């Protein structure tokens, strides 16, 4: 199960659209686990607080002078708090207080506790703005903006939470938090420990050693000397000298005038230290030497300002830093007060993590004989369930060869069956193994447990084998139970629910270029690893099953998501044929068009530049052309698609940049790479469908991502033409729900006018236009319909008057009036949104039509804030999830029904792809009409809504060039 362990998606606060790429272990054949109050002591002190209700999970360390092998984490609290305050949209507690910084900070704390497993954890704070540096240089940090009041008010609650979690808070008069970080880093290193500084402050780069690292939470990056060399071209011991020359305008550190980063790096490369530079200015050419000689005092002053104090006289209670006295009930209470429903649940789960972990009792064996396997199968047939996993040679199942199989049938009892290993005399022929295993794979009453079972099912399909029983996928179960989490991999589940740290794949195959494949791993090592891969899901199953029952998710799990695993495995196994020549021709055409676009862009800008560089583009747009600047970001001013769209009215260059980016993305993502993804034996592309990523319940895909090919642009249509039927006597058929999300909206709100329009099969956009403008249908103009269409879809996504105005090219006031007229015409829609937000504010989550939950923090009570056309991001997510998530439930049900029908009919067809509301099939030409009828029937009757469901069936030689199929006609 190697890379099943690896599957992890660490995003900050967004809906994942694009998925992670395989890591180093992928190349080696790893298999995917998936799809405070300020202290007052003059000498400095710490506060832990909290009742002694839990015991430390890592046990008591008798001698804190020896930290060998221990991991010490120190958080630069203000740095992290500022990050999350600016990154997370406005959130308020039930009493109206701002809480976005508290929410983000707590979420990061939980992330560190759950993923990083610190042995010690401390939080350093700045006690005051005046430090010893101000005595040296009164202007130090003099120009910094004061802390926003909306942030300042959240600091006490953050420290209150830290006291409840018994995380020591460190601060000291006269020193900055960075100095405390430097001091703990020194002490940890001297005592043999490894220190991780959680900060974005570049000053801390001077502290990097082989035992001291910087953890960037936003990038999920442990930053070390190699990263520093790549960024600044210097060593950690040169950071202070580098900053002394470059200075810091934010902290008002003067530096040496005219000496910039490039020059500082060159000088340190030549002279190594600042003192050498100052003493050997006669060896420096040009005016730089004069500037340096004139700035010797400034440089040395700057050095005193930027060098961190490593001897802060602060008492460090190492025992408190072990997290041994968490008052989890108090922390839960605070979270409830602040309205953090999802985080309340996560905090509540800290309690078992703080208990001593019992010994991992297990009995893992390498299969000695087929007779032993028969005994195990007999036990499985009696119990009616088993846990299953495969080890393979590649991360992509269609490209992988089977290395071995592992089974668990009791807690701690598991066996590994080698198929390929470095010990050939101990290997078993797969067909001999299957002959023994087949009874448990063909019994519909037997349950198979596992992590990311879809992968294993595709591996079986590669050998012509299938499973016909029940499934329990621990990855998918946790996705339903904890949809707000970014990862559901087995390592994380084992740690979170079982308190057990699993064997890491790198221990078996290594990393990088020297890594090996699983069939080269010694048999004893792979036995322990693979057997654990079966044992862990077995132990997780009862825990997750109980949670599914408590949250009312059993039907969704058993009737939709588990049968869907079989469907997705079939789709991945099938793949879709791709025409190489069409791809090559399209790629050449895209290259020519990009070349022409580049010439046009350079002509418009008046000079050549790197079009792919946001910084260089920003200089052209805002400095040279003087266009209106948009939102400020760390690297300057944003040049994202929204900004360029706004600028397109001022100058033709932004529109050309948008066209360039869209074309380049299609070329780089599809036409240039799809040929390499064509399987040499099947001649098809086999995308991977992910069931555990999108929080609305939608499916996503990767390698390649086929969800994002635009259908309405000419370029997207050119890419779609490359997807074809694989046989001359076959054809591509598509089945697309018509306006499914609007129909779901009509079902939920029950508006009679909308229900009537759908029941009589009217053009919904024309019908809405007629209602809003109070004209008859035949008087609706194309412009009226365009506006109605924009607001119909905009309503689902919480579009503001500003957004609608930009899309339609009208004034904000005109857009606001149009939205007002819409809600006046369809008051039931407004009431549905009100009720949804009211419930979300009360419960902290929203549900889809089948009960799928999504935690949503920060939703305001609509009765408290009044009607608002400007929804917060949380409120937009809440409304969209109910509608889009219900549409996702619907098409998943349809896919399961269609898959079952195809298995029990004579129709020669395969389900190939699902793209949101569309299904794609390959069907033998003379079976097209029977397939169209069956698919239309299953899709329109997958769920009974208060509006009829409509499906558009089209067919053609490729995915793009299709025509509507008149499947209803008896004479076809």
């Amino acid at each position: 199960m190697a890379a099943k362990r690896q599957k992890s998606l660490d995003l900050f606060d967004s809906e994942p659209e694009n998925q992670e790429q395989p890591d180093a272990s992928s190349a080696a054949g790893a298999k995917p686990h998936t799809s405070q109050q300020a202290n007052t002591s003059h000498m400095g002190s710490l506060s832990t607080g909290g009742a002694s209700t839990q015991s430390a999970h890592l046990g008591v360390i008798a001698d804190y002078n020896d930290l060998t092998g221990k991991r010490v984490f120190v958080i630069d609290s203000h740095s992290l708090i500022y990050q999350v305050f600016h990154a997370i949209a406005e959130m308020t507690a039930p009493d109206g207080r701002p809480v976005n910084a508290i929410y983000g900070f707590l979420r990061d704390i939980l992330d560190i506790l759950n993923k990083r497993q610190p042995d010690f954890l401390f939080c350093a704070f700045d006690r005051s703005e005046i430090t010893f540096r101000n005595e040296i240089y009164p202007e130090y940090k003099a120009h910094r903006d004061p802390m926003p009041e909306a942030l300042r008010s959240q600091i006490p609650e953050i420290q209150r939470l830290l006291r409840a979690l018994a995380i020591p808070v460190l601060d000291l008069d006269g020193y900055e938090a960075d100095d405390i970080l430097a001091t703990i880093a020194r002490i940890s290193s001297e005592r043999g420990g490894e220190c991780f500084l959680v900060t974005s402050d570049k000053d801390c780069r001077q502290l990097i050693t082989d035992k001291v690292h910087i953890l960037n939470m936003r990038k999920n990056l442990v930053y070390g000397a190699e990263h520093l060399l790549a960024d600044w071209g210097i060593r950690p011991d040169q950071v202070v000298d580098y900053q002394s020359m470059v200075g810091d305008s934010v902290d008002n550190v003067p530096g040496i005038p005219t000496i910039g980063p490039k020059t500082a790096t060159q000088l340190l490369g030549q002279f190594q230290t600042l003192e050498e530079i100052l003493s050997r200015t006669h060896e420096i050419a040009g005016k730089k030497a004069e500037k340096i000689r004139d700035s010797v005092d400034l440089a040395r002053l700057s050095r005193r300002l930027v060098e961190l104090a490593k001897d802060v006289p602060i008492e460090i209670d190492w025992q408190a830093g072990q997290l041994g006295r968490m008052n989890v009930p108090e922390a839960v209470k605070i979270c409830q007060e602040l309205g953090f429903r999802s985080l309340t649940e996560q905090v509540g789960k800290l309690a078992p993590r703080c208990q001593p972990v019992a010994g991992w009792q297990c009995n893992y064996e390498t299969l000695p004989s087929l007779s032993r396997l028969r005994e195990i199968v007999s036990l499985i047939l009696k119990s009616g369930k088993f846990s299953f996993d495969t080890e393979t040679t590649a991360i992509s199942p269609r490209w992988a060869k089977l290395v071995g199989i592992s089974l668990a049938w009791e807690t701690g009892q598991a066996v590994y069956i080698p198929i390929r290993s470095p010990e050939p005399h101990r290997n078993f022929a797969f067909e001999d193994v299957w002959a023994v295993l087949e009874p448990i794979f063909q019994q519909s009453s037997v349950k198979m447990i596992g992590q990311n079972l879809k992968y294993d099912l595709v591996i079986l399909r590669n050998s012509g084998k299938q499973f016909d029983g029940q499934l329990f996928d621990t990855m998918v179960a946790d996705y339903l139970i904890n949809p707000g989490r970014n990862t559901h991999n087995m390592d994380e589940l084992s740690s979170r629910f079982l308190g057990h740290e699993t064997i890491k794949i790198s221990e078996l195959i290594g990393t990088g270029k020297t890594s090996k494949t699983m069939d080269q791993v010694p048999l004893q090592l792979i036995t322990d690893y693979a057997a654990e891969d079966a044992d862990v899901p077995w132990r997780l199953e009862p825990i997750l099953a109980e949670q599914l029952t408590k949250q009312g998710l059993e039907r969704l799990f058993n009737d939709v998501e588990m049968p869907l695993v079989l469907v997705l495995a079939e789709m991945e196994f099938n793949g879709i044929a791709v025409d190489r020549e069409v791809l090559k021709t399209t790629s050449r055409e895209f290259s020519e068009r990009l070349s022409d676009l580049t010439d046009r862009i350079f002509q418009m800008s008046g000079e050549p530049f790197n079009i792919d560089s946001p910084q260089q583009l920003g200089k052209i747009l805002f400095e040279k052309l003087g266009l209106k600047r948009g939102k400020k970001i760390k690297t300057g001013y944003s040049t994202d698609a929204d900004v360029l769209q706004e600028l397109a009215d001022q100058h033709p260059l932004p529109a050309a940049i948008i066209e360039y980016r869209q074309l380049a993305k299609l070329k780089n993502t599809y036409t240039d790479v799809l040929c390499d993804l064509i399987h040499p034996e099947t001649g098809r592309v086999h995308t991977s469908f992910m069931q555990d990523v999108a929080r609305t319940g939608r499916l996503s895909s990767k390698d390649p991502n086929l969800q994002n090919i635009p259908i309405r642009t000419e370029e997207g249509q050119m890419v779609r033409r490359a997807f074809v039927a694989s046989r001359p006597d076959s054809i591509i058929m598509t089945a697309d729900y018509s306006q499914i999300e609007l129909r779901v909206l009509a079902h939920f709100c029950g508006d009679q006018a909308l229900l009537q329009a759908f029941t009589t099969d009217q053009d919904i956009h024309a019908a809405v236009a007629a209602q809003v403008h109070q004209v008859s249908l035949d008087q609706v103009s194309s412009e009226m319909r365009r506006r109605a269409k924009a607001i119909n879809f905009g309503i689902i996504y919480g579009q503001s008057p500003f957004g609608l105005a930009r899309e339609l090219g009208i004034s904000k006031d005109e857009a606001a009036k149009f939205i007002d007229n819409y809600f006046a015409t369809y008051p039931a829609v407004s009431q549905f949104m009100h009720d949804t937000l009211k419930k979300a504010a009360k419960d902290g989550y929203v549900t889809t039509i089948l009960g799928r939950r999504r935690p949503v923090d920060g939703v305001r009570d609509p009765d408290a804030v009044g009607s608002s056309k400007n929804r917060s991001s949380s409120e937009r997510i809440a409304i969209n999830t109910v509608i889009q998530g219900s549409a996702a439930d619907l098409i998943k049900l349809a896919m399961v029904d269609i898959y079952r029908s195809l298995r029990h009919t004579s129709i020669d067809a395969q389900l190939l792809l699902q793209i949101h509301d569309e299904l794609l099939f390959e069907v033998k030409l003379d079976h097209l009409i029977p397939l169209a009828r069956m698919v239309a029937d299953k899709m329109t009757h997958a769920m009974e809504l208060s509006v009829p469901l409509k499906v558009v069936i089209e067919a053609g030689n490729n995915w793009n060039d299709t025509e509507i199929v008149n499947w209803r006609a008896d004479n076809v």
Side-chain angles (χ1 to χ4, degrees):
M1 182 195 285
K4 278 190 178 181
R5 302 272 183 90
Q6 307 292 326
K7 188 173 184 298
S8 178
L9 185 64
D10 291 304
L11 302 176
F12 184 54
D13 193 34
S14 60
E15 181 79 19
E17 293 297 335
N18 298 313
Q19 286 70 44
E20 75 280 14
Q21 296 301 313
D23 57 19
S25 63
S26 305
K31 171 190 167 184
H33 271 197
T34 31
S35 131
Q36 293 191 357
Q37 303 288 328
N39 298 315
T40 56
S41 166
H42 176 71
M43 289 298 292
S45 60
L46 54 85
S47 60
T48 55
S52 250
T53 58
Q54 308 295 338
S55 55
H57 73 277
L58 48 92
V60 176
I61 296 176
D63 183 6
Y64 294 105
N65 289 316
D66 182 7
L67 301 178
T68 303
K70 301 303 178 184
R71 293 156 57 88
V72 180
F73 283 71
V74 197
I75 297 174
D76 182 356
S77 301
H78 281 108
S79 171
L80 196 58
I81 290 168
Y82 264 99
Q83 282 183 39
V84 296
F85 176 73
H86 291 294
I88 300 178
E90 175 189 345
M91 293 174 62
T92 56
D95 60 7
R97 288 178 291 163
V99 294
N100 60 332
I102 309 171
Y103 177 87
F105 188 82
L106 176 58
R107 188 168 60 179
D108 280 349
I109 289 286
L110 293 172
D111 188 77
I112 292 170
L113 290 174
N114 290 323
K115 295 181 183 177
R116 303 290 172 177
Q117 296 291 297
D119 294 301
F120 299 89
L121 178 61
F122 302 93
C123 282
F125 279 78
D126 297 322
R127 181 178 288 190
S128 67
E129 296 179 358
I130 304 301
T131 69
F132 73 89
R133 293 180 178 85
N134 296 97
E135 297 175 6
I136 298 171
Y137 185 56
E139 296 301 309
Y140 178 70
K141 292 191 176 181
H143 300 153
R144 278 203 169 186
D145 294 331
M147 182 183 293
E149 184 54 40
L151 174 56
R152 185 182 300 278
S153 65
Q154 299 183 59
I155 302 296
E157 287 299 323
I158 289 174
Q159 295 186 338
R160 181 182 168 209
L161 269 167
L162 289 173
R163 286 196 298 275
L165 296 173
I167 298 174
V169 172
L170 304 178
D171 61 11
L172 182 62
D173 280 331
Y175 292 91
E176 298 180 53
D178 288 352
D179 298 314
I180 297 173
L181 266 65
T183 299
I184 295 181
R186 174 187 62 80
I187 295 172
S188 299
S189 299
E190 290 175 352
R191 297 181 182 182
E194 187 175 16
C195 189
F196 294 83
L197 308 175
V198 184
T199 183
S200 60
D201 195 326
K202 294 179 181 179
D203 290 348
C204 287
R205 295 181 177 185
Q206 64 188 265
L207 303 173
I208 294 172
T209 68
D210 59 341
K211 293 184 178 180
V212 179
H213 322 281
I214 293 174
L215 173 59
N216 187 314
M217 294 295 293
R218 301 287 72 78
K219 296 182 179 179
N220 191 30
L221 172 68
V222 176
Y223 190 98
E226 68 278 13
H227 302 97
L228 176 63
L229 182 63
D231 288 347
W232 285 357
I234 59 173
R235 304 183 306 271
D237 62 282
Q238 296 176 311
V239 168
V240 175
D241 291 345
Y242 173 90
Q243 292 179 298
S244 302
M245 290 186 282
V246 173
D248 186 340
S249 59
V250 176
D251 288 349
N252 207 28
V253 176
I256 300 177
T258 74
I259 299 295
K262 184 176 180 181
T263 302
T265 298
Q266 291 173 342
L267 289 172
L268 287 171
Q270 182 178 356
F271 298 102
Q272 301 303 309
T273 69
L274 175 64
E275 284 304 319
E276 281 294 300
I277 294 169
L278 297 181
S279 63
R280 295 166 61 183
T281 53
H282 59 281
E283 298 179 35
I284 301 173
K287 295 183 178 181
K288 283 186 293 187
E290 184 179 346
K291 281 291 183 184
I292 294 171
R293 279 192 293 269
D294 292 342
S295 305
V296 169
D297 291 340
L298 275 180
R300 288 179 173 146
L301 168 66
S302 298
R303 198 181 198 288
R304 294 174 68 192
L305 295 176
V306 299
E307 186 172 22
L308 298 179
K310 298 180 181 178
D311 54 355
V312 175
I314 189 168
E315 297 176 10
I316 302 171
D317 187 338
W318 290 93
Q319 183 175 0
Q322 279 193 275
L323 307 174
R325 293 176 287 179
M326 286 189 182
N327 189 342
V328 173
E330 175 65 15
V332 166
K333 177 185 174 184
I334 296 171
C335 289
Q336 290 171 337
E337 288 177 11
L338 299 175
F340 298 160
R341 268 76 173 193
S342 60
L343 293 188
T344 298
E345 184 179 351
Q346 293 181 44
V347 168
K349 292 177 180 177
L350 287 174
R353 288 298 309 279
C354 297
Q355 299 289 349
V357 176
W360 187 260
Q361 301 297 323
C362 59
N363 179 23
Y364 298 161
E365 60 178 310
T366 307
L367 186 72
S369 64
L370 289 177
S371 61
R372 171 59 176 153
L373 184 58
R374 292 187 187 95
E375 293 175 6
I376 294 170
V377 167
S378 177
L379 293 172
I380 290 172
L381 288 172
K382 288 179 181 178
S383 69
K385 65 178 184 178
F386 68 102
S387 185
F388 177 73
D389 188 60
T390 60
E391 300 301 334
T392 64
T393 58
I395 192 170
S396 298
R398 269 314 236 136
W399 299 69
K401 294 180 180 179
L402 182 63
V403 172
I405 294 169
S406 52
L407 302 170
W409 61 96
E410 291 180 17
T411 299
Q413 298 290 328
V415 65
Y416 177 65
I417 308 166
I419 307 297
R420 289 180 173 86
S421 82
E423 302 176 42
H425 64 284
R426 300 186 65 183
N427 293 339
F428 293 86
F430 174 72
E431 290 299 332
D432 293 341
V433 170
W434 182 257
V436 180
L437 292 179
E438 190 168 17
I440 63 174
F441 280 83
Q442 301 305 319
Q443 290 272 3
S444 61
S445 60
V446 173
K447 179 193 294 184
M448 179 197 288
I449 302 164
Q451 171 83 7
N452 190 16
L453 283 169
K454 172 168 60 67
Y455 183 98
D456 305 298
L457 294 173
V458 177
I459 295 298
L460 290 178
R461 290 286 281 114
N462 290 346
S463 301
K465 314 301 181 184
Q466 288 185 269
F467 176 74
D468 286 329
Q470 306 165 41
L471 299 178
F472 190 102
D473 193 314
T474 52
M475 179 187 75
V476 180
D478 189 59
Y479 164 66
L480 291 184
I481 295 164
N482 298 297
R485 287 187 174 270
N486 290 329
T487 93
H488 309 278
N489 65 52
M490 198 194 76
D491 286 347
E492 201 264 341
L493 296 184
S494 177
S495 176
R496 176 155 40 103
F497 289 108
L498 305 176
H500 173 67
E501 294 303 310
T502 54
I503 302 169
K504 301 301 180 279
I505 180 61
S506 58
E507 298 174 26
L508 275 70
I509 64 174
T511 58
K513 295 180 180 179
T514 60
S515 63
K516 51 192 173 185
T517 52
M518 294 297 283
D519 54 344
Q520 298 171 317
V521 176
L523 199 49
Q524 184 56 55
L525 290 179
I526 198 172
T527 292
D528 291 342
Y529 175 89
E532 183 184 67
D533 280 350
D535 187 18
V536 168
W538 176 274
R539 298 181 193 231
L540 287 170
E541 187 260 347
I543 299 171
L544 296 173
E546 181 182 5
Q547 291 293 318
L548 289 169
T549 301
K550 283 183 177 179
Q551 295 190 26
L553 295 167
E554 284 178 301
R555 182 194 169 201
L556 180 63
F557 181 75
N558 292 321
D559 296 350
V560 181
E561 297 292 352
M562 287 303 94
L564 187 67
V565 172
L566 296 169
V567 182
L568 298 180
E570 180 74 10
M571 291 163 62
E572 290 189 18
F573 176 80
N574 292 336
I576 183 169
V578 179
D579 190 318
R580 289 179 183 270
E581 293 307 314
V582 171
L583 282 176
K584 291 177 181 178
T585 301
T586 304
S587 188
R588 285 194 296 269
E589 185 171 335
F590 283 178
S591 293
E592 293 170 2
R593 290 173 59 179
L594 281 170
S595 178
D596 292 341
L597 260 176
T598 300
D599 291 341
R600 282 172 48 205
I601 288 170
F602 290 167
Q603 288 175 359
M604 293 178 197
S605 63
E607 63 178 271
F609 66 98
N610 182 355
I611 302 172
D612 298 317
S613 167
Q615 290 81 14
Q616 293 187 34
L617 175 59
K619 287 184 178 180
I620 296 293
L621 294 175
F622 307 126
E623 296 179 14
K624 183 172 183 177
L625 299 180
L627 301 184
K628 183 180 178 181
R629 298 181 180 186
K631 52 190 175 185
K632 186 78 178 288
I633 57 176
K634 286 185 178 180
T635 55
Y637 286 92
S638 172
T639 58
D640 65 16
D642 289 340
V643 171
L644 294 177
Q645 197 67 53
E646 290 180 33
L647 297 176
D649 293 336
Q650 302 178 40
H651 195 280
L653 179 58
I657 297 294
I658 292 174
E659 184 181 354
Y660 174 92
R661 286 180 178 176
Q662 291 172 342
L663 195 57
K665 182 177 180 180
L666 285 173
K667 184 176 186 296
N668 296 333
T669 307
Y670 298 110
T671 60
D672 286 357
V673 301
L674 276 177
C675 283
D676 294 334
L677 295 176
I678 297 174
H679 194 284
E681 295 177 10
T682 69
R684 296 177 172 224
V685 169
H686 300 268
T687 188
S688 176
F689 291 97
M690 289 179 292
Q691 210 171 342
D692 66 322
V693 174
R695 295 176 185 178
T696 58
R698 273 187 165 186
L699 295 174
S700 54
S701 72
K702 67 172 184 177
D703 302 329
N705 179 0
L706 300 180
Q707 305 276 3
N708 290 344
I709 304 175
I711 189 173
R712 292 181 179 85
T713 67
E714 177 190 351
E715 295 78 15
Q717 292 167 4
M718 292 170 68
V719 173
R720 286 189 170 218
R721 287 193 182 98
F723 293 85
V724 298
S726 62
R727 302 178 301 182
D729 63 347
S730 295
I731 195 168
I732 294 293
M733 188 191 92
T734 64
D736 194 356
Y737 274 121
S738 173
Q739 298 163 338
I740 185 59
E741 292 178 358
L742 293 178
R743 292 174 191 266
V744 170
L745 172 62
H747 169 79
F748 275 121
C749 74
D751 187 276
Q752 291 303 310
L754 289 178
L755 294 176
Q756 177 67 18
F758 281 122
T759 300
T760 57
D761 200 21
Q762 294 180 30
D763 178 337
I764 189 63
H765 304 311
V768 168
Q771 288 275 338
V772 171
H773 291 282
Q774 297 183 342
V775 299
S776 62
L777 271 173
D778 57 2
Q779 292 178 303
V780 173
S781 66
S782 59
E783 179 60 23
M784 289 178 183
R785 186 185 183 280
R786 185 175 78 91
R787 293 188 178 190
K789 182 177 181 179
I791 197 169
N792 272 336
F793 290 114
I795 285 296
I796 299 170
Y797 298 99
Q799 193 173 48
S800 66
F802 176 80
L804 183 63
R806 185 175 62 186
E807 181 174 347
L808 295 177
I810 59 179
S811 70
K812 184 179 177 182
D813 289 342
E814 192 176 358
K817 182 179 179 182
F818 194 74
I819 291 175
D820 287 339
N821 289 341
Y822 177 92
F823 284 122
T825 306
Y826 301 102
V829 174
S830 180
Q831 187 62 45
F832 158 72
M833 293 182 168
H834 175 279
D835 294 345
T836 299
L837 296 178
K838 183 80 175 175
K839 193 172 188 306
K842 175 178 176 292
D843 298 338
Y845 62 87
V846 292
T847 56
T848 67
I849 199 165
L850 292 184
R852 184 188 308 276
R853 290 189 180 192
R854 181 178 184 180
V856 187
D857 285 311
V859 174
R860 300 166 295 180
D861 185 333
D863 290 332
V865 299
S867 61
S868 174
K869 301 184 187 71
N870 294 312
R871 304 287 186 196
S872 70
S873 60
S874 296
E875 290 157 356
R876 291 194 297 270
I877 286 171
I879 294 168
N880 175 242
T881 296
V882 175
I883 298 171
Q884 192 179 91
S886 295
D889 290 348
L890 177 63
I891 198 165
K892 284 181 175 181
L893 277 174
M895 292 168 68
V896 170
D897 287 347
I898 291 168
Y899 168 78
R900 288 170 174 166
S901 293
L902 282 175
R903 290 194 68 184
H904 297 96
T905 68
S906 59
I907 297 175
D908 188 349
Q910 295 176 326
L911 176 57
L912 307 181
L913 299 178
Q914 187 257 38
I915 311 293
H916 304 317
D917 306 327
E918 176 186 19
L919 301 179
L920 194 102
F921 301 81
E922 180 175 340
V923 56
K924 194 172 181 181
L925 190 56
D926 54 3
H927 288 194
L928 172 61
I929 299 305
L931 177 66
R933 286 177 175 152
M934 184 271 285
V935 169
D937 177 67
K938 296 301 181 184
M939 291 179 70
T940 54
H941 293 95
M943 190 185 298
E944 293 301 323
L945 302 183
S946 53
V947 293
L949 296 176
K950 183 178 180 180
V951 176
V952 178
I953 307 286
E954 296 188 356
N957 292 324
N958 60 65
W959 187 5
N960 185 73
D961 298 333
T962 57
E963 296 180 356
I964 293 178
V965 176
N966 185 12
W967 52 271
R968 291 183 179 87
D970 292 333
N971 60 345
V972 176

